[in-house]
Amino acid sequence: MLSFAVRDYDGRSRELSSVLTAVMNNDLYVPADDLTVAFPYDKEIIKNADYLTAYKDGELVFTGQIDEIINIKSSASVITSVTARSLAAMLLDNEAEPLTYINPAPEFIYNKHLKPFNIKAGALDSIPFYGNFKIDKGMTHWQVLKSFCKNRFDSLPRITGGGEVLFEGCSDEEAVKFGTDGIGYYSLRENNKRCELISEVRIKLDEYGGYTGTVTNENEDCRHIERVRYVNTAADTSTIETADAVIEQSNIDSYMLTLECKGCMTDKIGKRAEVNDEALGELDGLRVSGTKYVIDSSGEHTAVYLRRE
């Protein structure tokens, strides 16, 4: 079970020993994780609380500056609810200085845009993104990181709950197995959202031409779907890759498998997954896109959200 603490403005840590409820959300497509912990009111803790932290077997799995503190009085008791987002929130909340870098490397991007917010990094290669890398007015540090990783690694970066950057996203190691011969679950919900599928994107390549280019969704679930979008690469900042992204996102949004599991499964975020269910059979080609970890009066349990790769 996770343990929780708050860190004061002076850096001192105070353990929360009487947690009533806790909810932590992790999502591959949402940069910052969030954690809400409720406990009996303690004036000494609340007046100096700055950061909220969570540990699993002594390992830091969440740290973030507190966004909100709510005190609720009911009858004779007062309950405090504290909410924080992980360190990725710092990248979302702060704009980057408009600049143009020439041949920036991962270590350079880290030092300029992540290290000032106390985000850690493992080994970083020195291979640059060759060419000009422009930071437009209004771009956040997260947008800078996301754009750099797309150009340099063709990846979606991840800031772990513990505050470490993964430039190439979550590792593609051996798949997590659920069901028979794997992690058990007590509830399963499969949702095929056909309404999310985009069957075709038509592209305008020339200012004076029509939408003559076509990108077709090869997803088998699209065989009887007709849902078209248009991308004008001649008039705006869209590119042919925009059409691919529209189709890819529609495929991601069209399927969700939710497993309710006992215990803490937050470390499964981003991993490939397989499910062997007695009724639905073998389901593979999946990835853990998110988790919702809950502690309440019934114990600890996790909703695990799986999407198609």
Side-chain angles (χ1 to χ4, degrees):
M1 183 175 290
L2 297 190
S3 59
F4 306 94
V6 294
R7 194 168 77 232
D8 293 349
Y9 296 113
D10 60 6
R12 181 174 54 171
S13 181
R14 298 171 181 261
E15 183 180 0
L16 299 177
S17 57
S18 301
V19 171
L20 303 174
T21 62
V23 178
M24 182 160 64
N25 293 294
N26 312 70
D27 194 313
L28 278 182
Y29 305 106
V30 177
D33 301 340
D34 66 81
L35 172 63
T36 299
V37 178
F39 52 92
Y41 175 75
D42 187 320
K43 183 178 180 179
E44 289 303 312
I45 289 179
I46 295 306
K47 70 178 182 179
N48 293 311
D50 188 25
Y51 275 75
L52 180 62
T53 57
Y55 298 85
K56 182 178 182 181
D57 300 325
E59 179 183 354
L60 180 68
V61 296
F62 180 94
T63 182
Q65 192 167 35
I66 294 172
D67 286 330
E68 188 174 26
I69 300 174
I70 300 175
N71 295 312
I72 302 174
K73 183 175 181 180
S74 177
S75 299
S77 64
V78 179
I79 302 299
T80 297
S81 175
V82 176
T83 298
R85 292 172 295 158
S86 62
L87 294 184
M90 300 288 192
L91 306 185
L92 293 167
D93 294 349
N94 288 276
E95 285 188 12
E97 182 182 358
L99 290 168
T100 297
Y101 299 141
I102 300 175
N103 302 336
E107 185 175 8
F108 177 84
I109 294 295
Y110 169 73
N111 287 330
K112 292 287 288 185
H113 298 279
L114 289 89
K115 189 176 181 180
F117 301 105
N118 295 319
I119 294 172
K120 299 179 177 61
L124 297 173
D125 70 53
S126 58
I127 301 173
F129 164 70
Y130 291 103
N132 292 339
F133 182 78
K134 185 180 180 183
I135 301 174
D136 294 321
K137 171 69 176 71
M139 287 181 69
T140 64
H141 291 280
W142 170 256
Q143 289 173 317
V144 172
L145 174 64
K146 184 178 179 181
S147 177
F148 177 81
C149 290
K150 176 63 177 176
N151 285 285
R152 170 63 178 80
F153 300 105
D154 192 26
S155 67
L156 177 66
R158 167 86 177 149
I159 307 294
T160 69
E164 181 178 358
V165 60
L166 306 176
F167 275 81
E168 298 184 68
C170 297
S171 60
D172 217 2
E173 52 194 40
E174 185 177 354
V176 181
K177 298 182 184 295
F178 293 91
T180 306
D181 300 325
I183 299 171
Y185 51 86
Y186 59 86
S187 173
L188 178 151
R189 175 187 170 92
E190 185 181 38
N191 190 353
N192 284 285
K193 296 184 281 187
R194 301 176 75 223
C195 60
E196 296 288 351
L197 289 168
I198 303 299
S199 60
E200 182 180 275
V201 177
R202 295 173 187 168
I203 306 171
K204 185 175 182 178
L205 301 170
D206 188 286
E207 182 179 357
Y208 302 103
Y211 286 83
T212 55
T214 301
V215 177
T216 303
N217 193 342
E218 301 297 332
N219 187 341
E220 290 186 359
D221 292 341
C222 256
R223 285 174 296 178
H224 305 291
I225 299 291
E226 183 175 353
R227 193 169 291 110
V228 178
R229 295 291 184 269
Y230 291 84
V231 170
N232 184 351
T233 64
D236 52 35
T237 57
S238 299
T239 65
I240 294 177
E241 286 74 20
T242 303
D244 293 328
V246 168
I247 286 179
E248 180 182 357
Q249 191 61 50
S250 81
N251 289 335
I252 290 172
D253 294 339
S254 71
Y255 183 86
M256 174 76 81
L257 184 67
T258 303
L259 305 176
E260 297 282 353
C261 306
K262 291 290 187 182
C264 179
M265 302 290 163
T266 57
D267 59 343
K268 305 298 186 287
I269 185 78
K271 294 185 177 180
R272 293 185 300 112
E274 300 172 359
V275 178
N276 192 342
D277 186 78
E278 293 180 356
L280 300 181
E282 294 186 7
L283 305 170
D284 55 16
L286 303 172
R287 188 174 294 275
V288 180
S289 67
T291 61
K292 181 177 182 179
Y293 170 79
V294 176
I295 294 177
D296 56 21
S297 58
S298 65
E300 61 172 352
H301 43 98
T302 307
V304 179
Y305 305 110
L306 304 163
R307 295 183 185 270
R308 290 190 177 125
E309 293 195 89

